[in-house]
Amino acid sequence: MTALTGTVPLLRFALRRDRVLIPVWTAVTTVMVLSMPATLKGLYGTPADRADLLRQVTANSSLRALIGPVLDDSLGALTAWRVGLYAAALAAVTSLLIVVRHTRDEEESGRQELIASGTVGRRASLTAALLAAGVANAVLALLVAAGLAAQGAAGAVAFGLGLAGVGMLFATTAALAAQLTQSARAARGLTAAALGAAFVLRAAGDATTADGSSPLTWLSPLGWLENLRAFADERWWVLALLAAAIATQGVLAYGLAARRDVGMSFLPTRPGPAAGRLRTAAALAWRLQRGAVLGWGVGFFVSGVVYGGLTDSAADLVGDNAGAREIVERMGGRSGLTDAFLASMIGVLGMIAALFVVASVLRLHGEETSGRAEPVLANAVGRLRWAAGHLTIAFGGAALIMLLAALGFTAGHGRDAGPILAACLVQVPAVWLVGGLTVLLYGSAPRLAPAAWGVAGACLLIGWIGPALDAPQVVLDLSPFGHLPKLPGSDMRWSPVLALLGAAALLVSAGLTGLRRRDMTSS
């Protein structure tokens, strides 16, 4: 038996388990990228308009830090500039989720030990996980290259390969983290921290130079993507840099995997105190989720500072462009460009907060399927009391991170806190509705609970891309965020807010009723 024996069956199994995740992620990312040329053509229809945009972005260090530099005024180059970083980030996040799910998650649950007892090679699981990520990124590269070919075949191929390269780079980063850490949560957190560091390095570099030539930009894999210069005199050798980094991390991950036992790691978990200090189920839930709340809170505060600081310059950027102004007003209301931009950015953060509440609620699902909930419920702790601790953090944490976003916007923009606070908190009912639907799925049909990710992703897709594509109102109304008042600037409307709160309460009640009546999943 070789070290790779059993790789093919494990790969088939991994692709079957990810038969929803991979197609949904690929579709969302592809639609986001391929919708951009038409949108940009509507906004900047003439070469003069596009050249003026290039000059304005080149002169604005804040926008370069947020999105990156514009390297050419063609529609293809503007597309790569506008969505490249975010599409690459989606590729990185999905890749790390796939790899950690099929490596460290399997070891943590004990399934890997069962698999290893058969005719399966030592490196088969790691290889299958990386190949599954490779399939996802290859499909993305193919669709993006084919869809953008009309903008220039060479640029389309370069951009598609660049996105796939960034995705695979973070797939191997996740494989490396899975060897170093002893829990899937830590592996995901370590890889996400690497992605965050890459974004910060790139932003710092792009803020100082207008062409991506800063040494800080070159230290970031996201900077490599922009320096590939898709649709702008491509630098094909940057792909070799990505390939070398992927190969180096892959070799290190394979080397570490050969030197440890199943379930072990090179950075073992620190042992807890001899005497337990957690006396309630709520305290245990807080101990499990406090890191996530802290990370999301810091991220939302920093995002608020950044977007608040960009408000005036962004208003200047779109002020003379009727198409861009119309999109911002569709997202944020027609109360003046500055207020509309603030409302649109706050709305985007609200939709991202829906991802937090889904992840936090689904922690119940993870505790149950891993078997960790069973010993807690075996004591004098009822199901509802156990669930209440996690749900308090999920729903309270969503309100907290939006409050921190409000503080960030206030600090970044320097205007009165009251209107911005109201604008951020008015997003909470829609976030809670998504959380309530997640509770309903988990409580009544736990096998369908991961579908809540699709709901949150659909809300983000509708709210982000819908206005740019001038989607009909009936489509925008499919998202609960489409019913919220556009604050600041617009009048406060209480009826949709109260309706969303009531619907969220009903969904949570129905989900908890289902949880109380159904059988718990056995590990």
Side-chain angles (χ1 to χ4, degrees), residues 449-499:
W453 287 111
V455 175
C459 291
L460 184 58
L461 185 65
I462 291 171
W464 191 5
I465 299 180
L469 297 179
D470 197 14
Q473 189 61 40
V474 65
V475 174
L476 300 179
D477 287 343
L478 292 175
S479 168
F481 295 92
H483 300 275
L484 297 173
K486 306 295 186 182
L487 302 179
S490 301
D491 294 332
M492 178 63 190
R493 294 181 290 111
W494 286 102
S495 54
V497 172
L498 295 176

Side-chain angles (χ1 to χ4, degrees), residues 423-435:
C424 287
L425 292 184
V426 83
Q427 305 293 320
V428 172
V431 177
W432 282 0
L433 181 69
V434 176

Side-chain angles (χ1 to χ4, degrees), residues 322-323 325-341 343 470 486-491:
R325 177 187 288 269
E326 186 177 353
I327 289 177
V328 172
E329 289 177 345
R330 282 201 295 266
M331 293 181 68
R334 301 180 180 273
S335 55
L337 192 56
T338 298
D339 282 344
F341 180 79
D470 197 14
K486 306 295 186 182
L487 302 179
S490 301
D491 294 332

Side-chain angles (χ1 to χ4, degrees), residues 143-281:
L143 292 176
V144 168
L148 293 181
Q151 308 302 325
V157 171
F159 189 52
L161 291 177
L163 292 179
V166 172
M168 286 307 300
L169 178 63
F170 283 96
T172 53
T173 303
L176 193 57
Q179 313 309 315
L180 296 175
T181 60
Q182 201 165 1
S183 71
R185 182 175 56 184
R188 284 188 284 265
L190 188 60
T191 311
L195 177 59
F199 189 91
V200 170
L201 285 171
R202 183 216 53 81
D206 287 342
T208 59
T209 61
D211 59 356
S213 60
S214 169
L216 292 176
T217 302
W218 281 105
L219 289 175
S220 167
L222 297 177
W224 300 348
L225 176 64
E226 69 182 40
N227 274 298
L228 181 58
R229 300 178 68 94
F231 303 100
D233 192 17
E234 293 80 12
R235 294 172 173 170
W236 296 100
W237 58 268
V238 176
L239 292 175
L241 185 61
L242 280 167
I246 293 169
T248 300
Q249 290 192 146
V251 169
L252 288 175
Y254 276 105
L256 293 176
R259 288 173 168 78
R260 67 176 181 88
D261 294 330
V262 174
M264 296 293 103
S265 67
F266 290 91
L267 299 175
T269 303
R270 184 178 62 183
R277 294 194 294 256
L278 302 177
R279 300 182 181 277
T280 65

Side-chain angles (χ1 to χ4, degrees), residues 64 77 105 188 262 264 266 284 372 379 421 427 490 506:
R64 294 200 309 270
D105 258 333
R188 284 188 284 265
V262 174
M264 296 293 103
F266 290 91
L284 175 61
R372 291 189 294 267
N379 295 294
L421 178 62
Q427 305 293 320
S490 301
L506 289 175

Side-chain angles (χ1 to χ4, degrees), residues 54 116 288-289 315 360 385 407 488:
L54 188 150
L288 293 173
Q289 299 212 45
S360 188
R385 182 181 166 194
L407 295 177

Side-chain angles (χ1 to χ4, degrees), residues 25-35 37 76 79-80 83-84 87-88 91 136-153 155-164 225 230-231:
W25 161 73
T26 304
V28 168
T29 309
T30 302
V31 169
M32 181 179 67
V33 173
L34 300 189
S35 65
T79 296
V83 298
N137 284 289
V139 171
L140 175 66
L142 181 62
L143 292 176
V144 168
L148 293 181
Q151 308 302 325
V157 171
F159 189 52
L161 291 177
L163 292 179
L225 176 64
F231 303 100

